[in-house]
Amino acid sequence: MTPDEIIRTFLDHYRRHGHQPAPESSLVPPPGDPVLFTTSGMHPLTPYLLGRPHPGGRRLANVQRCLRTTDLDEVGDSTHLTVFQMLGSWSLGDYDIATSLRWGFDLLTGGFGIPVGRLHATVFGGGSGEGPDDTARDTWTALGVPVEALGADNWWSNGPTGPCGPDSEIFVWTGDGPPTGTPSTDTRWVEVWNHVQMRYHRHPDGRLTPLPLSSIDTGMGLERLEMVLRGDRSVFTGDGLRRWVDEVRDRWGLHGEDLRVVSDHLRSAVVVLGDGVRPGNTGRGYVLRRLLRRTLTVLWRDDPARTLDDLPPELYADTLRHFRQMPGPSTPPGEQPVDVGSLHATLVDEERRFRGLLRRGRPLVDRVRARGPLTERDYHWLHDTHGLPRDLVDGLLAEAS
């Protein structure tokens, strides 16, 4: 299945079960939201999970672009991405977890054709004063899916405070032979879907209080599901990433982890730029700047002459259409196109700035380093006086050693 076919199958399945489409949101949350980026499909729906009535009703489904900075250090392996698309469904105080799991099972085995024998589930086994999730365990057992009960790994929250509750995760076997072990003992079990029971609100002091409604929030990564349906072991061969991988490898000769990091970070940067963020020294702008600087650091390791100006602008347009930020076959009507030329110019300008910063920074760091190991005071001086952030200084130190 192509990504568009996967999305259509997912939304059609939930439409048949009475779900209305929830509008997709920008990566940039609305003013007043303390989170830098939309990190999950449920994030824009938080007020409704807390009890506010949703204009679309109590059953919703959509596809939402997401960005997670917590996974940055893991990007470079075969399954983690900085920006990705999340397929989500919600029950706002309507049906229960058993219903959600049965409908999910029907979609995976019927709509997507995954054999039951390749599925494994995990459920919350209890902890921190909460009992085990017997309902989820019994539901999976009745469906013929093996279950593993875990602790904190199956308690979901979107941060230190806010909605939270027990979850059930669904894994698919990606190994060559018959399935062995469990999700916690064999990495060939790959998580594809998470069904969360939003029962509680966690307060800053750690207290849990019941939410006005007990809701269900599910999330399934599109790129990872596409990988599983292809029988592959890497998200980087899918429709949304293949062209980036091909361009980066063919133009710059990168391979392995370097190829995956550069492909992911450039693609992610284009999506972030498409939602109106520009490089800066704080907040969202700094996340974007960090993505680009990490990309350029890898690119220039072997050849400082490499430049983002080599990339074809139509690659950006393809990515923006894939994330429905520009008009295309799967884009809701009325979307305004992003100025691809301006986006390309922003990337090239950020590269120019970074080259200048490195040119100025190397002799400064060398001079400070000659006195001995850098202290916190040295880091502050390099940042406050010369605009050299800590991660850049550490990079220059590693480069010199």
Side-chain angles (χ1 to χ4, degrees):
M1 285 186 174
T2 66
D4 279 350
E5 289 169 339
I6 293 172
I7 291 171
R8 213 163 33 242
T9 300
F10 179 87
L11 295 178
D12 286 348
H13 174 79
Y14 279 100
R15 192 175 294 114
R16 288 194 295 273
H17 289 293
H19 291 65
Q20 298 300 311
E24 182 174 3
S25 300
S26 164
L27 280 178
V28 179
D33 193 317
V35 176
L36 286 180
F37 290 101
T38 299
T39 58
S40 65
M42 63 78 64
H43 187 83
L45 295 172
T46 301
Y48 308 104
L49 292 167
L50 293 175
R52 183 192 302 175
H54 192 283
R58 298 170 69 184
R59 298 183 181 186
L60 304 170
N62 80 352
V63 55
Q64 171 65 50
R65 54 186 177 271
C66 304
L67 186 152
R68 290 186 182 170
T69 56
T70 52
D71 288 341
L72 274 183
D73 291 336
E74 296 184 76
V75 170
D77 67 8
S78 60
T79 60
H80 284 89
L81 297 169
T82 306
V83 169
F84 58 95
Q85 290 180 283
M86 182 75 79
L87 304 166
S89 66
W90 294 273
S91 162
L92 303 177
D94 191 1
Y95 53 83
D96 61 7
I97 187 62
T99 301
S100 183
L101 296 180
R102 286 195 297 267
W103 286 348
F105 174 84
D106 291 343
L107 176 59
L108 291 175
T109 58
F112 294 129
I114 300 175
V116 178
R118 289 179 60 204
L119 296 178
H120 203 304
T122 62
V123 299
F124 183 61
S128 300
E130 291 295 312
D133 189 353
D134 295 333
T135 302
R137 182 201 61 205
D138 294 345
T139 302
W140 285 124
T141 301
L143 291 169
V145 177
V147 185
E148 181 179 24
L150 300 173
D153 286 344
N154 280 78
W155 183 271
W156 194 94
S157 61
N158 198 36
T161 62
C164 59
D167 74 339
S168 180
E169 297 177 353
I170 308 172
F171 293 76
V172 176
W173 177 254
T174 62
D176 287 331
T180 62
T182 67
S184 69
T185 63
D186 196 318
T187 58
R188 289 173 293 181
W189 288 106
V190 173
E191 180 195 346
V192 294
W193 207 355
N194 202 359
H195 290 237
V196 182
Q197 300 174 65
M198 293 293 186
R199 293 181 184 170
Y200 302 101
H201 180 87
R202 186 179 296 280
H203 297 270
D205 61 4
R207 287 182 303 114
L208 294 176
T209 55
L211 290 170
L213 299 173
S214 181
S215 298
I216 305 294
D217 157 43
T218 86
M220 178 160 53
L222 174 63
E223 292 86 353
R224 195 175 289 188
L225 177 62
E226 184 192 2
M227 175 194 79
V228 166
L229 295 181
R230 287 196 318 274
D232 210 340
R233 297 182 186 176
S234 172
V235 295
F236 287 90
T237 59
D239 280 7
L241 285 138
R242 188 184 305 119
R243 188 170 177 198
W244 278 103
V245 170
D246 291 345
E247 290 282 355
V248 169
R249 182 186 58 239
D250 296 346
R251 288 175 184 275
W252 297 319
L254 298 184
H255 298 280
E257 182 176 342
D258 286 350
L259 174 61
R260 292 188 291 269
V261 167
V262 170
S263 300
D264 168 87
H265 283 13
L266 285 175
R267 173 182 181 258
S268 298
V270 167
V271 179
V272 173
L273 285 163
D275 273 341
V277 179
R278 294 297 177 263
N281 291 325
T282 59
R284 298 181 187 98
Y286 187 67
V287 172
L288 174 57
R289 177 160 281 169
R290 184 182 173 198
L291 286 172
L292 291 172
R293 288 179 174 178
R294 191 179 186 199
T295 297
L296 293 167
T297 299
V298 173
L299 273 184
W300 294 340
R301 189 182 296 142
D302 299 322
D303 184 358
R306 289 169 176 161
T307 173
L308 301 182
D309 206 19
D310 292 339
L311 292 171
E314 58 267 24
L315 181 57
Y316 310 148
D318 285 350
T319 297
L320 295 170
R321 278 192 293 269
H322 182 80
F323 281 88
R324 304 194 291 181
Q325 292 166 289
M326 286 184 69
S330 63
T331 307
E335 291 284 336
Q336 295 301 310
V338 176
D339 183 346
V340 172
S342 173
L343 187 153
H344 180 73
T346 300
L347 290 177
V348 173
D349 182 64
E350 185 64 14
E351 177 188 286
R352 179 187 59 78
R353 290 172 180 268
F354 189 44
R355 282 191 190 275
L357 192 59
L358 288 176
R359 195 163 46 245
R360 297 192 306 273
R362 281 192 181 96
L364 286 168
V365 172
D366 288 344
R367 195 168 71 214
V368 175
R369 184 171 180 266
R371 301 199 302 260
L374 267 65
T375 64
E376 286 300 314
R377 184 176 180 182
D378 293 327
Y379 278 109
H380 285 302
W381 178 76
L382 287 166
H383 181 269
D384 296 344
T385 306
H386 298 283
L388 299 174
R390 189 185 193 104
D391 56 350
L392 175 59
V393 172
D394 288 340
L396 291 172
L397 289 171
E399 182 183 288
S401 61

